[in-house]
Amino acid sequence: MRNSRLPLTETVYYLLLVFKKPTYGYLAIKEIEELSEGDVRIAAGTMYGAIENLLKSEMIVQVSSENERRKMYQTTAYGNEVLEEEVARLSHCVRVWEKLNR
C-alpha cells in the first residue's frame, strides 16, 4: 500500500534530500537551486513554511548547531523512508514510460 504522503511536491522532495545531512534553511535554498540546475527556486517564506510542515509530520528534526543564530535540520528515519518510497514510485513511472515508448 502506498504511503499517504506520496506523491511528494518538488519542494518537499528536495528538502528531504538536502536535509539528509544537517543543513540550515538558507543553505538548503542554495543547494536545491544548484541540484535542480535552477529549475526549483524556493523563496524564504516557502522554505520556512515547508520546514514547519516537515517538523510537524516528523520527516525532519531540528538538530544542534554551533551557530545559535542558525537552526539546523536533518531528515529523520521516517523522512528517509518516505523519500525512498517516492524515488521508487518515480523510478516505476520512468520504467512504465520507457516500456510504452520503445
Side-chain angles (χ1 to χ4, degrees):
M1 186 162 96
R2 184 191 296 190
N3 187 311
S4 64
R5 300 237 180 242
L6 300 180
L8 298 178
T9 65
E10 259 187 322
T11 299
V12 170
Y13 172 81
Y14 277 105
L15 286 172
L16 291 174
L17 196 61
V18 299
F19 286 138
K20 285 181 74 65
K21 64 179 192 291
T23 306
Y24 58 95
Y26 180 74
L27 182 58
I29 288 171
K30 293 299 177 194
E31 286 185 14
I32 289 167
E33 190 172 338
E34 184 178 315
L35 285 171
S36 71
E37 298 176 350
D39 287 344
V40 179
R41 293 187 176 156
I42 301 174
T46 302
M47 166 63 74
Y48 294 106
I51 285 173
E52 283 302 312
N53 290 334
L54 290 171
L55 287 167
K56 287 178 187 172
S57 65
E58 299 180 342
M59 287 197 272
I60 65 169
V61 65
Q62 188 173 341
V63 294
S64 61
S65 171
E66 292 177 9
N67 182 340
E68 62 187 48
R69 292 179 44 212
R70 287 190 180 143
K71 291 183 180 180
M72 302 286 284
Y73 303 96
Q74 187 166 12
T75 305
T76 62
Y78 173 62
N80 280 318
E81 179 182 310
V82 171
L83 184 59
E84 288 174 10
E85 289 173 8
E86 176 69 345
V87 169
R89 185 188 72 79
L90 292 169
S91 295
H92 173 75
C93 289
V94 169
R95 285 191 306 276
V96 169
W97 168 263
E98 289 171 345
K99 181 178 179 181
L100 292 175
N101 287 288
R102 287 184 190 181

